[in-house]
Amino acid sequence: QKEVEQNSGPLSVPEGAIASLNCTYSDRGSQSFFWYRQYSGKSPELIMSIYSNGDKEDGRFTAQLNKASQYVSLLIRDSQPSDSATYLCAVPTWGGATNKLIFGTGTLLAVQP
Amino acid sequence: KAGVTQTPRYLIKTRGQQVTLSCSPISGHRSVSWYQQTPGQGLQFLFEYFSETQRNKGNFPGRFSGRQFSNSRSEMNVSTLELGDSALYLCASSSTGTGFQETQYFGPGTRLLVL
């Protein structure tokens, strides 16, 4: 089992719809979770971080965390064509003296105008 | 604050050569991590440096090495390049690299093509 798993997609949604991106992780001890957005040919940029069970909202983005189910999701409301990108779920894993980010393979989101 | 910078942005090398990539972290950040991104393997952790010391290393061969200078700038070196080393190499900086809530900020990356 991979440490962080995501559906690779592509996930296609019409403009204005809600896009739901999912991520599962294997380490029950994981304490924090990050969503990065990566446009084609660009580097990842942080969208959201979440540390506690429940929902965290930031503008059109909502991150949801369920530690019991080892599941974290990202909802994008009122999806725009500019949201079309690959969304990466990342989980810090303690490795000796520091954290390293373990990334899922990413979900490609395509928002259709 | 200026973001993470990486040089060069693009590089073409031939098999057997070596390459050095540079990364300057966000001012005040002392932890620098390096990642390799390929279409087949995704984003994979290479190593992390803090105060000129390598604290963590991923599962890459010894041809991949790095170092950090006293101003927190970091370099990574790949010797005896192989075709499979073609990738986007990303540098990320964070404050200390130890807080579980600490965010890693990525630079623009160096795209390496090995012919």
Side-chain angles (χ1 to χ4, degrees):
Chain A
Q1 181 190 7
K2 289 186 178 178
E3 293 179 85
V4 180
E5 295 202 55
Q6 295 180 255
N7 188 322
S8 61
L11 173 65
S12 182
V13 300
E15 184 174 353
I18 295 175
S20 177
L21 306 162
N22 305 315
C23 172
T24 58
Y25 59 95
S26 61
D27 184 357
R28 283 197 168 276
S30 296
Q31 299 183 59
S32 55
F33 308 85
F34 298 86
W35 283 100
Y36 285 84
R37 176 177 64 196
Q38 186 174 27
Y39 291 113
S40 180
K42 302 295 185 181
S43 64
E45 60 174 321
L46 182 71
I47 296 297
M48 293 279 289
S49 59
I50 187 166
Y51 317 120
S52 304
N53 276 330
D55 295 359
K56 178 182 177 183
E57 188 174 316
D58 183 0
R60 295 186 297 111
F61 299 94
T62 298
Q64 299 175 318
L65 174 60
N66 183 326
K67 290 186 178 179
S69 299
Q70 295 175 243
Y71 175 93
V72 58
S73 64
L74 180 69
L75 301 178
I76 306 175
R77 290 183 301 281
D78 188 25
S79 295
Q80 301 297 309
S82 59
D83 295 326
S84 298
T86 296
Y87 289 80
L88 297 159
C89 174
V91 182
T93 299
W94 190 253
T98 184
N99 279 314
K100 62 178 181 180
L101 286 176
I102 305 297
F103 284 87
T105 52
T107 298
L108 178 61
L109 173 65
V111 181
Q112 308 299 326
Chain B
K1 271 186 184 179
V4 180
T5 58
Q6 291 186 247
T7 57
R9 295 292 311 278
Y10 303 93
L11 211 46
I12 300 175
K13 293 286 188 178
T14 56
R15 278 180 299 176
Q17 287 187 310
Q18 75 166 12
V19 66
T20 299
L21 312 181
S22 181
C23 170
S24 292
I26 292 170
S27 178
H29 284 189
R30 297 172 63 190
S31 171
V32 175
S33 297
W34 288 90
Y35 295 83
Q36 181 197 64
Q37 187 174 33
T38 60
Q41 298 298 318
L43 260 163
Q44 292 186 292
F45 174 79
L46 279 158
F47 29 65
E48 186 261 356
Y49 286 88
F50 180 87
S51 289
E52 302 177 65
T53 300
Q54 184 184 89
R55 296 192 300 185
N56 205 349
K57 191 177 191 306
N59 295 323
F60 280 83
R63 299 185 297 107
F64 291 82
S65 63
R67 60 177 175 169
Q68 187 181 37
F69 301 95
S70 58
N71 61 358
S72 295
R73 189 177 70 86
S74 177
E75 290 182 346
M76 69 163 281
N77 182 275
V78 188
S79 62
T80 319
L81 284 166
E82 300 177 359
L83 295 179
D85 297 333
S86 295
L88 179 65
Y89 289 90
L90 292 159
C91 161
S93 83
S94 64
S95 181
T96 66
T98 54
F100 74 91
Q101 295 186 6
E102 204 170 280
T103 298
Q104 292 190 24
Y105 297 93
F106 284 86
T110 295
R111 189 164 295 281
L112 171 65
L113 176 62
V114 182
L115 301 176

